[in-house]
Amino acid sequence: MKIALNANQMKRADITTQEKYKVPSCVLMERAAYSVYEVIRGRLDASLGPVVIACGTGNNGGDGLALARMLHQAGYDVRPFIVGNIDNCSEECARQLEILKAYGVDAASDIPVDITPAAVVDSIFGTGLSRDITGSYAEKIEALNGMPGLKVAIDIPSGISSDTGAVLGVAFKADITVTFAYAKCGHLVCPGRIYAGELIVSDIGIDGQSLEEGLLYASYPDKSDLLALPKRIADSNKGTYGKVLCVTGSRNMAGASLFAARSAYMTGAGLVRIFAPEENRVILQSSLPEAVLISYDTDSIRMKEKLENALDDATVIAAGSGISMGEDAYSNLNTLLSLGRAPLVLDADGINLVSASEELSHLLTWYPAKKVLTPHLKEASRLLKCEVDDVKKDIIGSAKAISEEFRCECVLKDAATVTALSNGRVIINTSGNNSMAKGGSGDVLTGIIAGLISTGAEPSDAAWLGAYIHGLAGEEASSVLGLYSVLASDLIDAISAVLSEV
């Protein structure tokens, strides 16, 4: 698991490196500039044209000025210019400006005109920006975005919040972002993830020794974290790997049950049972004969009895996908939340029913076992009684708010899914792509998480690991089928390829 910092955490790590470990700021700046220099040199020949470098008056601007000098020494045609009042330069920025002048390069006071740059470098604002960009600053960033050439951001694209990934008024749109020491949360969640482009994390001498003990840092997984999967053992049977109960689907919504149940099986569950309407019997039994079907009709008393019996020996319950907002769905969810004792994965209509009912909301909050909620942005806005835009502006904060309110693990689904755990940890998912933006994809995620819990994973681990595997399956499927043609069933088929890497 890799660490991601917010703006304040990065600032404190920077200060600790300088004050406790006596590494001068100018040394860190030189190493930062050199790491960007190496990226540009590796991707852009000096003969291709000028490099425009927009420099602010803070230390981020100092990085840009140091970069200008290094590129100049390597034979590049550099065109640095200052954005802001040059009299307000920080000490390090002023020093770099003086050094650059000594090498015969002057920084202009405005964007160079009548040139066709091979690259445009943004070093206007760093990770500490917390206000909207307006006025001449906004105009210059928009002008930079309109220029041709490779776009490179130093540390973070100017205008992107390091904490939330939100666009603060206007933002530089980078092809590559070179950041230092650690990724920032704003690099990993949208829209910051899109504006950052390819993210390169460079070591400049700030390491884990500069991080404060006891703080909860956000993190993001990589392939090595697949080792957290529960192990299969030689002396085992289907009971060893648990029983998943899928309370999913409704009349004419058999697909939700099929996707969740099949995903649970593909993730290792020993036995999957589906509690679904009688009308769905034929399609479910013919499409997934491995599952045990518990069907019900409109007799509410008999329906409740069947669900009560099914809950008795469930290892984990996957509920909500495709159940609709009708009376039967409400009754089943009420029974489940009142009588269920197994870990719960709640999705889709199950979340919407909770949002619309104080009784169900209360039951979910006090549900006795661990639970994982998997809302998308709209469902999250209903839980939090706010607008979708409010959730989108701070997806990390929104996921944490849901986790705290319902005492759960919250997997808040977006282009970059955020998992907020009940212990306060935040994991930002970096796998997946837009091929997964299809109906049924969320049902697959529900089944994956339930399958992981069934095989022995803690719900807190299954939540983030499920999101990661789900995204890897999307990448695997799209590598074969392309970004346009991936279906939910293709994601399920790709799970085996992902897990075979472990």
Side-chain angles (χ1 to χ4, degrees):
M1 197 75 79
K2 298 179 180 178
I3 290 175
L5 307 187
N6 62 32
N8 184 59
Q9 290 166 346
M10 188 65 237
K11 180 180 179 180
R12 294 176 73 87
D14 199 332
I15 291 171
T16 298
T17 303
Q18 295 176 50
E19 294 183 352
K20 181 177 180 179
Y21 297 107
K22 312 303 178 185
V23 180
S25 176
C26 60
V27 171
L28 297 175
M29 184 171 287
E30 286 292 306
R31 294 191 66 173
Y34 189 76
S35 67
V36 184
Y37 162 74
E38 284 193 313
V39 170
I40 292 177
R41 187 182 64 172
R43 308 203 183 191
L44 191 73
D45 189 88
S47 64
L48 294 179
V51 178
V52 172
I53 306 176
C55 305
T57 56
N59 283 359
N60 191 253
D63 294 339
L65 293 168
L67 170 66
R69 181 235 309 158
M70 294 173 187
L71 289 172
H72 168 73
Q73 290 179 283
Y76 288 79
D77 177 9
V78 293
R79 306 294 181 92
F81 72 97
I82 301 296
V83 181
N85 188 343
I86 197 169
D87 295 329
N88 294 331
C89 283
S90 68
E91 181 180 348
E92 293 297 342
C93 183
R95 179 183 289 117
Q96 292 294 346
L97 186 60
E98 184 180 0
I99 296 171
L100 185 62
K101 286 182 179 179
Y103 277 91
V105 180
D106 287 324
S109 59
D110 207 345
I111 298 177
V113 295
D114 299 327
I115 64 169
T116 303
V120 178
V121 180
D122 161 38
S123 64
I124 302 173
F125 296 108
T127 57
L129 183 70
S130 58
R131 66 184 188 281
D132 280 0
I133 298 175
T134 58
S136 62
Y137 288 99
E139 292 172 2
K140 286 182 171 59
I141 289 174
E142 288 175 342
L144 293 172
N145 283 336
M147 285 182 163
L150 179 72
K151 303 293 198 311
V152 180
I154 295 182
D155 212 2
I156 194 166
S158 292
I160 294 297
S161 166
S162 296
D163 296 352
T164 67
V167 175
L168 301 174
V170 65
F172 183 75
K173 187 73 178 290
D175 299 308
I176 303 169
T177 296
V178 184
T179 196
F180 312 124
Y182 297 94
K184 314 307 177 292
C185 295
H187 292 135
L188 305 179
V189 296
C190 290
R193 178 176 175 176
I194 298 169
Y195 278 78
E198 178 187 352
L199 181 65
I200 298 172
V201 181
S202 179
D203 176 16
I204 63 169
I206 300 174
D207 60 17
Q209 295 179 88
S210 295
L211 299 181
E212 292 185 57
E213 293 184 8
L215 285 185
L216 286 174
Y217 295 96
S219 53
Y220 57 107
D222 60 21
K223 288 284 186 74
S224 65
D225 291 302
L226 290 175
L227 295 174
L229 280 167
K231 301 297 185 291
R232 308 286 289 189
I233 58 177
D235 185 13
S236 60
N237 54 61
K238 65 184 179 185
T240 307
Y241 304 111
K243 299 176 182 178
V244 177
L245 173 63
C246 294
V247 183
T248 52
S250 57
R251 293 169 185 83
N252 301 318
M253 287 288 286
S257 295
L258 179 61
F259 296 147
R262 187 161 174 253
S263 298
Y265 263 137
M266 292 293 285
T267 316
L271 181 68
V272 179
R273 294 179 296 172
I274 305 172
F275 183 77
E278 175 64 30
E279 290 87 343
N280 294 353
R281 172 187 289 278
V282 174
I283 189 170
L284 290 174
Q285 288 187 323
S286 59
S287 299
L288 190 65
E290 296 89 346
V292 176
L293 185 65
I294 306 167
S295 62
Y296 62 86
D297 53 29
T298 55
D299 183 341
S300 60
I301 296 176
R302 182 67 177 142
M303 180 178 69
K304 184 177 180 181
E305 288 177 354
K306 285 189 173 185
L307 181 54
E308 289 176 358
N309 291 334
L311 290 170
D312 281 345
D313 64 346
T315 304
V316 57
I317 305 162
S321 301
I323 62 175
S324 82
M325 297 288 286
E327 291 182 9
D328 286 353
Y330 182 95
S331 176
N332 286 333
L333 188 57
N334 192 304
T335 298
L336 189 160
L337 294 176
S338 299
L339 302 178
R341 294 295 180 267
L344 169 67
V345 184
L346 189 65
D347 183 39
D349 288 332
I351 292 172
N352 291 330
L353 285 166
V354 167
S355 301
S357 166
E358 288 188 14
E359 180 183 9
L360 293 181
S361 178
H362 178 78
L363 287 172
L364 177 63
T365 302
W366 294 102
Y367 186 79
K370 294 180 180 178
K371 58 244 180 188
V372 180
L373 270 60
T374 60
H376 57 49
L377 297 179
K378 183 63 176 178
E379 291 158 357
S381 74
R382 293 177 181 133
L383 287 173
L384 295 172
K385 305 295 189 288
C386 66
E387 299 298 321
V388 173
D389 284 347
D390 296 325
V391 177
K392 186 75 171 177
K393 285 176 184 175
D394 186 5
I395 190 170
I396 295 174
S398 297
K400 291 175 70 174
I402 292 171
S403 175
E404 291 169 2
E405 181 173 349
F406 292 97
R407 305 178 183 187
C408 67
E409 326 300 336
C410 175
V411 182
L412 181 43
K413 297 178 292 193
D414 193 22
T417 293
V418 171
T419 300
L421 302 182
S422 53
N423 63 8
R425 288 182 62 207
V426 170
I427 297 96
I428 303 170
N429 190 52
T430 54
S431 67
N433 55 42
N434 55 27
S435 74
M436 304 170 70
K438 296 280 182 71
S441 181
D443 307 328
V444 173
L445 174 60
T446 297
I448 291 173
I449 295 172
L452 291 171
I453 296 172
S454 179
T455 57
E458 283 294 319
S460 55
D461 289 331
W464 66 262
L465 188 56
Y468 186 54
I469 291 170
H470 186 240
L472 291 177
E475 293 175 9
E476 175 70 21
S478 63
S479 71
V480 177
L481 301 170
L483 293 173
Y484 289 86
S485 303
V486 173
L487 300 178
S489 54
D490 299 318
L491 298 178
I492 300 171
D493 292 338
I495 292 171
S496 60
V498 173
L499 300 187
S500 68
E501 294 187 36
V502 180

